[in-house]
Amino acid sequence: MDISAIQQQLRAFSAERDWDQFHNPKNLAMALSVEAAELVELYQWLTPEQAEAASHDPAFATRLGEELADILLYLLRLADRTGIDLPAAVARKQQLNAQKYPADAVQGQAKSALNSGQHHSST
Amino acid sequence: MDISAIQQQLRAFSAERDWDQFHNPKNLAMALSVEAAELVELYQWLTPEQAEAASHDPAFATRLGEELADILLYLLRLADRTGIDLPAAVARKQQLNAQKYPADAVQGQAKSALNSGQHHSST
Amino acid sequence: MDISAIQQQLRAFSAERDWDQFHNPKNLAMALSVEAAELVELYQWLTPEQAEAASHDPAFATRLGEELADILLYLLRLADRTGIDLPAAVARKQQLNAQKYPADAVQGQAKSALNSGQHHSST
Amino acid sequence: MDISAIQQQLRAFSAERDWDQFHNPKNLAMALSVEAAELVELYQWLTPEQAEAASHDPAFATRLGEELADILLYLLRLADRTGIDLPAAVARKQQLNAQKYPADAVQGQAKSALNSGQHHSST
């Protein structure tokens, strides 16, 4: 995926609509979180098994793709507006996660309020 | 950014930690939304002007990059677990947005409860 | 619960700390959503069964109570700042829900992307 | 506001619709966060000044009241399902906040990534 190309398209899209006035970092962060909630909404009443199976439903998969795209577009836009180098930030975070969660120390453990202060199932 | 390569790394990272049991679509959607809230938290008490200026603060930019990376990593992981082709979904959504928000019809207008049912400042 | 009394206490709490400058409606809405995500975080890696059982764990229940209180406090503060009569708004919404979801029409059905456009499992 | 009475009404409302199967704590936490995002959506493109003024617009105030009511109803439902005594949890949290944020130590300061690790503008 060509991040810079998409960011350039989003810049043009916003400029053509005079939307730069709305796309400040604070507002974009809010908008991204609203899109994340629309993703959550897709799954909120489903059992984990139904949620898993839903991916095979074409209508659901289309909706899911739209929500993921909405989140990603705001993410790219926000990174562009704030000068964050996303690929570098991702590579750095992956390194931090590898240090923070040594495989042998966190086997099968997720941080939760039941075993708080322990380990966090990060990506 | 090589999406497939990162998704492959995330798959290995999760497998090595026996975390696949936690990474079902419902849980990943929740986790993504929690990371989106951590992004919002960075900006919640800042004025729009302070939020804009914060990007130039190295410590803030580092934190911002980490939050954006967390969101993106969960997004890539969820897309991988659900079989969503992210670049295709993004391209499709950009087309839909172009159709939904003709530039001359939505000039300088953001959907809000003040002018509800009108236009939506999408990315 | 005496809503007005708590709102009066929150007003004093904020005034004593010179925090009214931060507590505008936009920021309070953001803060409330961040607290809602901290609630979600408690449950994100738990199975529904573990989530149900967690209420019986004293440490979890304490954390849960704190997150629910945080949300409620921001809700009361925002309602106070915007002049919303919460008890009246709740009573009105309950009436709307009763009309929108007739018991015989929505038996055992939750709106989801799998049966989209149908029924919504509201409170 | 009579919390117990509303919780009793919500119990009956859910039972009549066979919705108890959906209203487990994990799902209710997700639903609450989705409603919180609908609140954020009302404000996302508004300047702080527009957000402040919006309270005086009757249509906006009605929408705002509905979103706040939705959040509060899910909060009451979740507290009921998990056995949390909300008034006690709120009173306890107010005490904790008073200890955590002594007025003279946090005058006019909000926690942010710009002055991280310092003070948090809580309610």
Side-chain angles (χ1 to χ4, degrees):
Chain A
M1 199 171 60
D2 188 339
I3 287 182
S4 298
I6 298 174
Q7 287 176 323
Q8 178 53 41
Q9 290 160 9
L10 293 176
R11 256 183 257 166
F13 191 88
S14 176
E16 289 162 10
R17 284 155 186 79
D18 191 17
W19 281 356
D20 287 352
Q21 59 184 311
F22 305 118
H23 286 190
N24 59 260
K26 185 175 175 111
N27 290 1
L28 289 169
M30 296 173 83
L32 190 156
S33 78
V34 169
E35 296 300 338
E38 293 187 9
L39 172 68
V40 170
E41 194 175 12
L42 292 182
Y43 290 116
Q44 67 185 346
W45 305 124
L46 303 185
T47 65
E49 294 73 27
Q50 290 171 330
E52 193 87 52
S55 306
H56 303 294
D57 178 272
F60 187 97
T62 299
R63 271 293 300 283
L64 176 57
E66 289 175 3
E67 300 304 346
L68 294 179
D70 279 335
I71 296 167
L72 187 46
L73 287 167
Y74 277 123
L75 188 73
L76 295 176
R77 180 76 174 132
L78 178 52
D80 188 37
R81 285 287 285 98
T82 55
I84 298 294
D85 179 340
L86 267 185
V90 163
R92 182 172 166 275
K93 201 59 170 60
Q94 287 187 283
Q95 287 186 318
L96 289 174
N97 285 341
Q99 293 166 9
K100 194 173 174 185
Y101 308 110
D104 53 356
V106 299
Q107 274 296 315
Q109 296 182 317
K111 177 186 166 190
S112 79
L114 287 174
N115 56 342
S116 59
Q118 293 185 18
H119 308 299
H120 187 101
S121 171
S122 175
T123 39
Chain B
M1 199 171 60
D2 187 339
I3 287 182
S4 298
I6 298 174
Q7 287 175 323
Q8 178 52 42
Q9 292 160 6
L10 294 176
R11 258 183 255 166
F13 191 89
S14 175
E16 289 162 11
R17 283 154 186 78
D18 192 18
W19 281 356
D20 286 352
Q21 59 184 312
F22 304 118
H23 287 188
N24 60 260
K26 185 175 174 109
N27 290 2
L28 289 169
M30 294 172 84
L32 190 156
S33 78
V34 169
E35 297 299 340
E38 293 187 9
L39 172 68
V40 170
E41 194 175 12
L42 293 182
Y43 290 117
Q44 65 186 346
W45 305 123
L46 303 186
T47 65
E49 294 71 27
Q50 290 171 331
E52 193 86 52
S55 307
H56 303 294
D57 178 272
F60 186 97
T62 298
R63 271 291 300 284
L64 176 58
E66 288 175 3
E67 299 305 344
L68 294 180
D70 280 335
I71 297 167
L72 187 48
L73 287 167
Y74 276 123
L75 188 74
L76 295 176
R77 180 78 173 130
L78 179 52
D80 189 36
R81 286 285 286 98
T82 55
I84 298 294
D85 180 339
L86 266 186
V90 163
R92 182 172 167 276
K93 200 58 168 65
Q94 287 186 283
Q95 287 187 318
L96 288 174
N97 285 341
Q99 292 166 11
K100 195 172 173 185
Y101 307 110
D104 53 356
V106 299
Q107 275 295 317
Q109 296 183 318
K111 177 186 166 190
S112 81
L114 288 176
N115 55 344
S116 60
Q118 293 185 20
H119 309 298
H120 187 100
S121 170
S122 175
T123 40
Chain C
M1 200 170 61
D2 188 339
I3 288 182
S4 298
I6 298 174
Q7 288 174 323
Q8 177 53 39
Q9 290 160 9
L10 294 176
R11 256 182 255 165
F13 191 88
S14 175
E16 289 162 9
R17 283 154 187 78
D18 191 16
W19 282 357
D20 286 353
Q21 59 183 312
F22 304 119
H23 285 189
N24 59 258
K26 185 175 174 111
N27 290 3
L28 289 168
M30 295 173 83
L32 191 156
S33 79
V34 169
E35 298 298 340
E38 293 186 8
L39 172 68
V40 170
E41 195 176 12
L42 293 182
Y43 290 117
Q44 67 185 344
W45 304 123
L46 304 185
T47 65
E49 293 74 25
Q50 290 171 330
E52 193 86 53
S55 306
H56 303 294
D57 178 271
F60 186 98
T62 298
R63 272 292 302 282
L64 176 57
E66 288 175 2
E67 300 304 345
L68 294 181
D70 279 336
I71 297 168
L72 186 48
L73 286 167
Y74 277 122
L75 188 73
L76 294 177
R77 180 78 174 132
L78 178 53
D80 188 38
R81 285 287 287 99
T82 55
I84 298 294
D85 180 340
L86 266 186
V90 163
R92 182 172 167 274
K93 200 57 168 66
Q94 286 186 284
Q95 286 187 320
L96 289 174
N97 285 341
Q99 292 167 11
K100 195 172 173 185
Y101 308 111
D104 54 355
V106 300
Q107 275 295 317
Q109 297 184 316
K111 177 186 167 189
S112 81
L114 288 174
N115 56 342
S116 59
Q118 292 184 21
H119 308 299
H120 187 99
S121 171
S122 175
T123 39
Chain D
M1 200 170 61
D2 187 339
I3 287 182
S4 298
I6 298 174
Q7 287 176 323
Q8 178 52 42
Q9 291 160 9
L10 293 176
R11 257 183 254 166
F13 191 89
S14 176
E16 289 163 9
R17 282 155 187 79
D18 192 18
W19 282 356
D20 287 352
Q21 60 184 311
F22 304 118
H23 286 187
N24 58 259
K26 185 175 173 110
N27 290 3
L28 289 169
M30 295 172 82
L32 191 156
S33 79
V34 169
E35 297 299 339
E38 294 187 9
L39 172 67
V40 170
E41 194 176 11
L42 292 183
Y43 289 117
Q44 68 186 344
W45 304 124
L46 303 185
T47 65
E49 294 72 27
Q50 290 170 331
E52 193 86 52
S55 307
H56 303 295
D57 178 272
F60 187 97
T62 299
R63 272 292 301 284
L64 176 57
E66 289 175 3
E67 300 305 345
L68 294 180
D70 279 335
I71 296 167
L72 185 48
L73 286 167
Y74 276 122
L75 187 74
L76 295 176
R77 181 77 174 131
L78 179 52
D80 189 37
R81 286 286 287 97
T82 55
I84 298 294
D85 179 339
L86 267 185
V90 163
R92 182 173 167 274
K93 199 58 168 62
Q94 287 186 283
Q95 286 186 319
L96 289 173
N97 285 341
Q99 291 167 12
K100 194 172 174 185
Y101 307 110
D104 54 355
V106 299
Q107 275 295 316
Q109 297 183 317
K111 178 186 165 187
S112 81
L114 288 174
N115 54 344
S116 60
Q118 296 185 18
H119 307 300
H120 187 98
S121 170
S122 174
T123 40

